[in-house]
């Protein structure tokens, strides 16, 4: 059942092109118009919402953070992301015009379930993004968008994460379509770009050996820092979480811009720093800013490992190792940039002899608060 792979996790990482394709399947009417028929919420209700709160825990919360960038950009609806267990205990402001989007692979995470119940009591409209058909959170929500990534067995979430991000893009585009924030042609273009991602993920997987080799050489590492900006920031945090969970290595993901506000003090000779670099074709000065962050840590002795877009030669001179991912738009890049980080954690944990499917102290679904 591991499909010939040594672990469920490795199988699930390799399932990702298919997982994303399954999430996208059947969501348009053939003319590029999103249908999302299963999302049984009255369109007039979705039109009237003035705020979105995304609730989730762990990796699913990082998917939520990626979603925020896309949803705010496409729909112009203020969007917050909050850990489910924090949300409930701070007397949050929620009403009938608040859309609460919960994200849960299992659909059974108690913290998220309780947060959704609370939001519902306060009158919010609740939509669940979930991978497990018929589980509790979707049953208790007003509507559900299933990710259809297939069962995820390994404790560390991989394919569900990419599928969740994909589902949030669909939700964001659907809202933009409904509310007229984007032209139909723009939506069509983004969907066409999304449709190309499974093949691009497959290309990242083909280059796994390069990442694995580096991971094996770093089995003795005590701490690894991850940096990213914009959507690269949650990707950095996800990379750090995978390394903690699987390899029991201290790892931290930072917003690259935050470096000089404290974390740069951690950098000493030989400290590995993994940097998620945005596309140089993107707007603003995101790319230049991240490149200068790489220079800053390198000047202080960091060993820099970089995930960058194919063709971006500017990073080479600042990095010990560069892993290239195919070109895509800035907002969709997490679907590609996450993959080398998953492989890195998997291989490093394997090199240390750990059970990657069942890391110590963890459960696949956390059904207690
Ligand atoms: O089933 P859920 O998506 O609600 O689970 C949330 C977290 O417990 C989960 O993502 C956890 O962080 C994973 N072990 C991450 O790999």
């Amino acid at each position: 059942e591991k499909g010939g792979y040594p672990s469920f996790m490795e199988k699930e990482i390799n399932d990702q092109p298919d997982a994303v394709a399954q999430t996208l399947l059947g969501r348009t009417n053939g003319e590029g118009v999103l249908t999302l028929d299963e999302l049984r919420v009255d369109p007039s209700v979705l039109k009237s919402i003035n705020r979105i709160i995304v609730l989730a825990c762990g990796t699913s919360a990082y998917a939520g953070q990626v979603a925020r960038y896309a949803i705010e950009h496409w729909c112009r609806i203020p969007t917050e992301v909050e850990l489910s267990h924090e949300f409930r205990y701070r007397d949050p402001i929620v009403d009938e015009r608040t859309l609460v989007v919960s994200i849960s692979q299992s659909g059974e995470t108690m913290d998220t379930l309780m947060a959704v119940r609370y939001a519902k009591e306060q009158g919010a409209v609740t939509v669940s993004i979930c991978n497990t058909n018929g589980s509790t959170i979707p049953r208790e929500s007003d509507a559900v968008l299933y990710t259809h990534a297939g069962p995820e067995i390994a404790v560390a979430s991989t394919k569900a994460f990419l599928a969740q991000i994909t589902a949030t893009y669909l939700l964001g585009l659907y809202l933009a379509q409904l509310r007229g924030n984007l032209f139909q042609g723009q939506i069509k273009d983004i969907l066409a770009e999304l449709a190309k991602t499974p093949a691009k993920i497959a290309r990242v997987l083909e280059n796994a050996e390069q990442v694995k080799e580096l991971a094996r050489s770093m089995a003795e590492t005590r701490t690894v820092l991850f940096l990213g900006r914009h959507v690269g920031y949650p990707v950095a945090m996800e990379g750090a979480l995978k390394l903690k969970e699987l390899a029991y290595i201290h790892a931290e993901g930072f917003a690259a811009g935050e470096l000089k506000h404290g974390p740069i003090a951690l950098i000493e000779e030989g400290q590995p720093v993994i940097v998620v670099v945005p596309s140089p074709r993107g707007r603003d000065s995101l790319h230049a800013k991240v490149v200068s962050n790489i220079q800053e840590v390198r000047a202080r002795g960091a060993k820099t490992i970089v995930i960058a877009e194919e063709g971006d030669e500017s990073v080479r001179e600042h990095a010990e190792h560069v892993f290239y991912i195919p070109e895509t738009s800035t907002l969709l890049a997490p679907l590609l940039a996450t993959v080398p980080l998953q492989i890195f954690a998997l291989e490093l944990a394997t090199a240390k002899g750990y059970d990657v499917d069942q890391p110590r102290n963890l459960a696949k679904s956390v059904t207690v608060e």
Side-chain angles (χ1 to χ4, degrees):
E1 70 243 44
K2 292 178 190 164
Y5 291 100
S7 63
F8 283 108
M9 188 186 175
E10 188 153 358
K11 173 183 183 289
E12 288 159 8
I13 288 174
N14 282 281
D15 277 348
Q16 291 183 116
D18 192 45
V20 170
Q22 289 299 322
T23 308
L24 292 172
L25 196 71
R27 256 80 198 239
T28 55
N29 71 354
E31 277 148 38
V33 177
L34 271 163
T35 43
L36 302 196
D37 291 335
E38 57 189 299
L39 198 74
R40 293 199 182 86
V41 187
D42 184 345
S44 68
V45 172
L46 291 179
K47 274 187 195 159
S48 73
I49 58 156
N50 60 7
R51 194 161 152 243
I52 296 177
I53 303 179
V54 182
L55 298 175
C57 303
T59 289
S60 300
Y62 297 140
Q65 294 204 19
V66 171
R68 175 167 61 142
Y69 292 91
I71 294 176
E72 287 196 334
H73 182 69
W74 292 332
C75 313
R76 310 310 297 156
I77 306 171
T79 303
E80 305 159 54
V81 186
E82 190 155 3
L83 295 168
S84 314
H85 38 89
E86 285 294 318
F87 172 77
R88 292 166 47 213
Y89 297 105
R90 68 169 174 90
D91 197 11
I93 301 162
V94 178
D95 62 25
E96 314 69 53
R97 296 186 67 193
T98 309
L99 175 66
V100 164
V101 179
S102 64
I103 308 181
S104 176
Q105 188 287 132
S106 61
E108 301 296 346
T109 298
M110 187 57 80
D111 287 316
T112 303
L113 173 63
M114 298 306 273
V116 169
R117 278 189 191 158
Y118 178 87
K120 250 186 115 172
E121 278 163 23
Q122 308 296 308
V125 186
T126 54
V127 171
S128 145
I129 292 180
C130 185
N131 196 45
T132 312
N133 285 30
S135 55
T136 312
I137 296 171
R139 275 196 279 117
E140 294 208 11
S141 301
D142 295 314
V144 54
L145 198 57
Y146 281 114
T147 41
H148 301 306
E152 190 179 67
I153 310 291
V155 165
S157 186
T158 54
K159 66 175 178 177
F161 180 62
L162 295 201
Q164 287 164 342
I165 293 175
T166 306
T168 65
Y169 292 154
L170 292 173
L171 180 64
L173 291 172
Y174 182 69
L175 290 172
Q177 175 178 282
L178 207 64
R179 299 160 64 99
N181 299 95
L182 294 176
F183 295 115
Q184 205 60 49
Q186 291 175 297
I187 295 174
K188 219 172 162 177
D189 288 349
I190 301 167
L191 287 171
E193 181 76 33
L194 263 177
K196 289 184 202 152
T197 48
K200 292 180 186 177
I201 298 168
R203 277 176 52 207
V204 178
L205 293 169
E206 281 162 21
N207 295 324
E209 196 42 47
Q210 225 194 329
V211 180
K212 287 185 172 181
E213 203 177 296
L214 175 69
R216 287 191 292 267
S217 76
M218 287 175 64
E220 300 309 316
T221 306
R222 302 286 301 271
T223 148
V224 179
L225 305 182
F226 292 74
L227 298 181
R229 253 178 206 262
H230 192 260
V231 289
Y233 172 35
V235 171
M237 290 192 287
E238 169 62 4
L241 179 60
K242 289 284 97 85
L243 205 56
K244 290 178 214 180
E245 283 189 292
L246 297 162
Y248 318 142
I249 288 179
H250 176 252
E252 233 35 84
F254 296 108
E258 193 64 9
L259 260 185
K260 55 184 169 302
H261 300 286
I264 199 161
L266 290 168
I267 308 291
E268 55 188 14
E269 197 56 42
Q271 169 64 53
V273 179
I274 302 188
V275 189
V276 181
V277 180
S279 163
R281 298 168 302 109
R283 289 160 304 122
D284 312 325
S285 49
L286 267 186
H287 178 268
K289 288 257 167 61
V290 175
V291 172
S292 85
N293 294 137
I294 303 174
Q295 288 170 293
E296 282 157 16
V297 293
R298 201 172 198 217
R300 290 163 179 82
K303 170 181 166 173
T304 52
I305 300 157
V306 163
I307 314 287
E309 187 178 275
E310 269 166 16
D312 182 359
E313 293 299 323
S314 68
V315 291
R316 277 201 194 275
E317 57 176 308
H318 308 300
E320 262 72 55
H321 300 273
V322 184
F323 299 112
Y324 284 111
I325 54 171
E327 279 189 14
T328 191
S329 66
T330 302
L331 284 171
L332 305 192
L335 294 176
L336 306 178
T338 304
V339 179
L341 306 184
Q342 298 168 336
I343 297 167
F344 180 77
L346 167 87
E347 192 65 13
L348 212 156
T350 306
K352 293 178 84 170
Y354 297 145
D355 179 346
V356 292
D357 286 339
Q358 291 286 343
R360 68 185 181 202
N361 308 341
L362 295 172
K364 180 62 183 162
S365 105
V366 184
T367 52
V368 290
E369 285 181 74

